[in-house]
Amino acid sequence: MLRGILLVVFAIVGLSGVPSSPLAASPDPARFIFVASMLDPTVAVIDSATDAVVSRARLPGMPKQIAALNKGAELVASDAGARRLYVIDAVSGSVKRELDTGIAPIVLQVDRTGTLFAIADPDAGVVELMRPAGGPVLRIPNLAGLRSMAFAPDGRLLVARGTRLALVDTATGRITADLAADGRDGPIVQVATDPGGEYAFAVHDDRGVLTVFPLKDPAKAMRVQLPPPVGRLLPSADSQFVMIPVAAGQAVSLISTWTLKESARIPMSDHVSGLGLGLFQSVSIGLSRAARTVQTIDLRDRRRLAPLSVPGVPEAGAPSPDGLKFYVALSDTGRVAVIDVLNASVSRVIDDVVGGASAVVSAVGAAYCH
């Protein structure tokens, strides 16, 4: 596991409503930011080089979740009502393929290569594995209590169900291991892995507990107690740490992947409803829906910087692929605030992106807000 060096990023200040101009030449899909809403069957595509909306995909149904494919050239969107996945050409905005599913795709995950989808219907307790180009579907039934799933870097699928974690061989659909967390901690509501593939993190929200399973020896589970309740966990892209809101969003904890202990707990001025990371994991970005603010943490000094008011409810966010900007969807206005991390400012607010925006995804990379 490589040891990164955390950089310094200072406070984000100011707002701007400067309009963007359309891009004359064909944009590079690797620069795309995708914005979707569960209230409008449209996915907007922003070029992070110009902050212009360069295309829009009009879908046959409402997207439940979206994920980027093929370095931003394509996008997949799940439609739970129609039991269908849509594969979209990101440049033209056209729907290239529609894939029927045997279950409602409430949860969608894409593997590291972008060549395998996992969809889940928690009510049915079923997972299906399918390819973007179609073909045979592997069904994994009898997963009562299913709440979350994630692909490990080695290609295995981790499925959280009740207080247990199933490890699935995606080539066969067989469960190769069934790991148990402490039943007293309650159900696992989220499972995530560090990008280096060393650990699986299982979140027990009400009890404020992380169960950590070493993926090379998952029987040796460890338990990390935090101030309950906790929010959604976010691993750093360099596998150095994970972050999680604690004490009902009043603070953010950093858990070192070297020690698997809490290395810092940073009080926040407003309730944190979502977390993100920017500029090579050197700054944490916390969204507060209730306060309509964006808060930043300088991860070198482990200190909270001044909250920034934004013109709307910050619902979700994601960094640009180069990490220099952070895009925040304002769900009540259909706008997107663009944070220029290097120059410590909100450089632009993009108008008329998509009504009720609730998901933001970068073409490449991780560190999106939940």
Side-chain angles (χ1 to χ4, degrees):
M1 182 170 62
L2 297 177
R3 302 187 177 189
I5 300 175
L6 297 178
L7 308 175
V8 187
V9 177
F10 294 99
I12 298 169
V13 294
L15 287 174
S16 172
V18 180
S20 59
S21 58
L23 194 66
S26 297
D28 179 0
R31 303 191 307 235
F32 284 168
I33 302 293
F34 303 101
V35 185
S37 166
M38 289 190 289
L39 304 178
D40 186 329
T42 300
V43 178
V45 182
I46 297 171
D47 182 358
S48 61
T50 62
D51 296 333
V53 176
V54 293
S55 69
R56 297 180 188 274
R58 186 74 177 176
L59 306 181
M62 297 294 180
K64 179 69 175 177
Q65 288 187 292
I66 60 172
L69 304 172
N70 193 19
K71 296 183 179 180
E74 295 180 326
L75 185 75
V76 59
S78 63
D79 183 343
R83 295 192 172 197
R84 189 165 295 172
L85 300 180
Y86 307 118
V87 179
I88 303 153
D89 184 311
V91 175
S92 69
S94 61
V95 178
K96 297 175 66 174
R97 291 184 297 281
E98 297 187 21
L99 306 174
D100 291 326
T101 64
I103 57 175
I106 303 297
V107 184
L108 167 67
Q109 291 289 316
V110 179
D111 76 347
R112 173 178 282 189
T113 67
T115 60
L116 183 65
F117 301 152
I119 60 170
D121 182 344
D123 291 336
V126 176
V127 168
E128 288 187 348
L129 300 171
M130 57 197 310
R131 303 282 175 180
V137 175
L138 288 176
R139 173 175 282 228
I140 309 162
N142 305 319
L143 297 171
L146 188 158
R147 297 286 293 274
S148 176
M149 61 182 181
F151 278 103
D154 64 8
R156 287 181 293 177
L157 182 69
L158 283 58
V159 181
R161 47 174 183 149
T163 60
R164 306 186 74 84
L165 185 64
L167 275 62
V168 178
D169 180 342
T170 54
T172 64
R174 291 179 54 251
I175 295 176
T176 59
D178 191 21
L179 313 175
D182 191 327
R184 293 171 294 183
D185 291 330
I188 300 168
V189 299
Q190 181 199 1
V191 61
T193 68
D194 67 294
E198 292 197 35
Y199 301 108
F201 297 90
V203 178
H204 309 260
D205 54 353
D206 289 342
R207 297 297 177 89
V209 171
L210 298 183
T211 302
V212 185
F213 297 96
L215 287 175
K216 292 182 180 177
D217 192 358
K220 296 181 179 179
M222 290 156 280
R223 185 177 181 274
V224 180
Q225 178 67 63
L226 298 167
V230 298
R232 289 186 62 81
L233 176 140
L234 177 63
S236 69
D238 57 8
S239 293
Q240 301 300 297
F241 60 91
V242 298
M243 302 182 66
I244 189 167
V246 300
Q250 296 305 310
V252 172
S253 285
L254 274 66
I255 312 299
S256 169
T257 54
W258 298 355
T259 64
L260 297 180
K261 295 180 179 179
E262 187 180 33
S263 60
R265 184 183 303 167
I266 303 166
M268 304 297 281
S269 59
D270 297 320
H271 167 83
V272 174
S273 53
L275 283 177
L277 286 164
L279 197 60
F280 311 110
Q281 325 307 306
S282 66
V283 61
S284 167
I285 299 167
L287 307 185
S288 175
R289 295 187 188 98
R292 296 189 174 206
T293 59
V294 174
Q295 300 178 75
T296 58
I297 299 172
D298 178 340
L299 292 177
R300 186 196 66 169
D301 296 334
R302 305 292 173 91
R303 63 189 179 92
R304 183 190 76 224
L305 304 175
L308 168 69
S309 296
V310 291
V313 176
E315 192 69 32
S320 59
D322 62 11
L324 302 181
K325 299 179 185 179
F326 201 88
Y327 292 79
V328 179
L330 308 176
S331 58
D332 59 332
T333 65
R335 307 164 85 190
V336 170
V338 184
I339 300 174
D340 181 340
V341 180
L342 275 180
N343 293 312
S345 66
V346 173
S347 60
R348 187 166 297 173
V349 175
I350 307 172
D351 293 319
D352 301 321
V353 178
V354 60
S358 58
V360 187
V361 172
S362 175
V364 295
Y368 52 87
C369 276
H370 302 277

